[in-house]
Amino acid sequence: MSSSPSDMFCLALYTATNAVQQTYRPLLDELGLTYPQYLALSVLWSSPSAPTVGSIGAALHLESSTLTPVLKRLEKAGLVTRHRDPNDERQVRIALTDTGRALADRAGHIPACIVERTGLSLEALNTLRHDLTRLNERLREETGR
């Protein structure tokens, strides 16, 4: 296998990740959100109750130390509240505010916009997502993370 950057799988994955984030940027700028904030809110929008910081981190494969500043900025923006779980003081629960819930409607068009901009069919995107998820799981098993 060649070690030329243009032949490296990791470079293709890295540049594709950057391109995806750049595609999201103008859509999220309209909402005043960063990409990590959008991902955190997406977990909250799909949660029936107020999840813990740990469960949001698990869903996004992020450490609490990475996620906490994102959640604090969302709280400062009035989109979420953070509170200790009364049954387990070690756990911090994140709840959407009314403003945070309303933002879900304003962001509802984003997934379709992204699909359109990829130029790929839903079937192709689902296959790619599935393959990348399997790759992620395999690499995490290898590294024990």
Side-chain angles (χ1 to χ4, degrees), residues 6-28:
S6 63
D7 294 332
M8 297 173 86
F9 164 75
C10 60
L11 180 63
L13 190 56
Y14 177 75
T15 57
T17 298
N18 286 338
V20 167
Q21 290 182 15
Q22 291 303 315
T23 302
Y24 273 93
R25 179 167 282 141
L27 299 167
L28 297 176

Side-chain angles (χ1 to χ4, degrees), residues 39-115:
L39 292 177
L41 285 170
S42 293
V43 172
L44 292 163
W45 291 329
S46 64
S47 258
S49 61
T52 63
V53 172
S55 65
I56 296 169
L60 299 176
H61 301 284
L62 293 174
E63 299 291 327
S64 291
S65 60
T66 302
L67 185 57
T68 297
V70 171
L71 296 171
K72 284 182 177 181
R73 285 190 299 276
L74 290 172
E75 183 178 42
K76 188 174 180 180
L79 300 174
V80 303
T81 60
R82 297 178 312 130
H83 60 276
R84 295 265 170 209
D85 186 323
N87 298 319
D88 183 352
E89 290 286 319
R90 297 169 296 173
Q91 299 291 322
V92 175
R93 294 207 170 264
I94 308 299
L96 288 164
T97 64
D98 290 341
T99 304
R101 271 188 290 285
L103 193 57
D105 291 334
R106 291 183 51 213
H109 70 288
I110 292 176
C113 288
I114 298 300
V115 168

